[in-house]
Amino acid sequence: NAGVTQTPKFRILKIGQSMTLQCTQDMNHNYMYWYRQDPGMGLKLIYYSVGAGITDKGEVPNGYNVSRSTTEDFPLRLELAAPSQTSVYFCASRDTQYQETQYFGPGTRLLVL
Amino acid sequence: AQSVTQPDIHITVSEGASLELRCNYSYGATPYLFWYVQSPGQGLQLLLKYFSGDTLVQGIKGFEAEFKRSQSSFNLRKPSVHWSDAAEYFCAVVVYNQGGKLIFGQGTELSVKP
């Protein structure tokens, strides 16, 4: 099991560019999440999905979009990059029950200049 | 509103000394609580979790945590710290909305002196 994988590891974007952060899990988990981590702020939820074809907004969704066409993949799209989106992005997945562990990917560090 | 507070932003302990990291939560229902560790440049790894039963929970790497409902706390402890424990530690609670997301504390950065 690879668990949760994310690509790329690091990316520099110019203001106004777009990109897709990839996330894949091989644990057959229905629930998947995108969080962003800013210094001193913990992690905040951007979007989540409870299964293929079902996504919804989290706490900080502005400037992002997601899709979930398969159980394994949950890409995060930035359409018009802004400096405020400079952050570390983590994808996570878990099994059905609330007490189940969320497994995190290694993260994508994004710098918008 | 649900929240998690980690009062200590940064803690320094000597190698071999004991460690306690504080976590306080605010949540109306029975909380499911987690401690994660993040080494520099890495993702988050689960140390331990509590969702019912014995209030003293054992985790990996020699860590334990005690759930105290009366104090709304879930403090993390280790009897003897190793240099490799230097990392950032996050306490989190699951909430029942937004897909069972985790609400995280701000994190506590642990430094270990030789």
Side-chain angles (χ1 to χ4, degrees):
Chain A
N1 271 3
V4 181
T5 58
Q6 292 182 238
T7 57
K9 284 189 168 61
F10 175 67
R11 180 81 180 265
I12 299 174
L13 278 184
K14 294 182 180 177
I15 295 171
Q17 286 185 321
S18 61
M19 77 166 292
T20 299
L21 283 66
Q22 301 292 346
C23 174
T24 299
Q25 53 94 7
D26 63 0
M27 297 173 281
N28 203 34
H29 287 166
N30 284 324
Y31 289 77
M32 295 188 74
Y33 306 85
W34 275 106
Y35 294 89
R36 59 176 287 173
Q37 181 183 28
D38 300 303
M41 301 290 287
L43 282 75
K44 301 286 188 191
L45 182 68
I46 305 171
Y47 270 95
Y48 68 97
S49 170
V50 302
I54 307 170
T55 63
D56 207 346
K57 296 177 181 178
E59 302 166 76
V60 290
N62 291 344
Y64 307 95
N65 275 302
V66 294
S67 59
R68 183 100 182 267
S69 56
T70 67
T71 299
E72 296 78 21
D73 300 307
F74 190 41
L76 178 72
R77 177 91 178 152
L78 282 70
E79 290 294 349
L80 289 170
S84 60
Q85 293 177 305
T86 293
S87 189
V88 182
Y89 293 85
F90 289 101
C91 180
S93 74
R94 72 163 171 87
D95 209 337
T96 308
Q97 300 303 314
Y98 283 110
Q99 63 266 38
E100 294 297 328
T101 301
Q102 285 191 26
Y103 294 91
F104 284 80
T108 295
R109 185 174 297 272
L110 178 65
L111 181 59
V112 181
L113 299 175
Chain B
Q2 307 99 337
S3 65
V4 174
T5 302
Q6 294 178 245
D8 304 305
I9 295 173
H10 189 204
I11 284 182
T12 300
V13 300
S14 297
E15 192 167 16
S18 64
L19 171 70
E20 182 169 28
L21 301 182
R22 296 183 290 164
C23 172
N24 294 101
Y25 68 89
S26 172
Y27 192 63
T30 300
Y32 295 152
L33 295 157
F34 300 78
W35 274 100
Y36 283 87
V37 60
Q38 184 181 30
S39 298
Q42 303 296 312
L44 280 74
Q45 181 184 21
L46 180 74
L47 284 176
L48 47 79
K49 63 182 179 181
Y50 169 81
F51 54 91
S52 67
D54 195 347
T55 56
L56 186 62
V57 180
Q58 302 297 322
I60 63 171
K61 304 185 182 188
F63 285 92
E64 66 178 26
E66 187 170 12
F67 172 65
K68 292 185 178 179
R69 185 185 298 275
S70 61
Q71 298 178 18
S72 298
S73 68
F74 188 53
N75 294 347
L76 182 72
R77 301 195 293 248
K78 187 169 184 178
S80 178
V81 168
H82 188 261
W83 63 266
S84 61
D85 293 323
E88 189 151 24
Y89 293 80
F90 291 95
C91 182
V93 65
V94 169
V95 296
Y96 293 108
N97 59 6
Q98 295 189 322
K101 70 177 182 183
L102 288 170
I103 291 181
F104 286 86
Q106 302 91 324
T108 297
E109 185 178 353
L110 173 66
S111 298
V112 180
K113 291 191 298 186

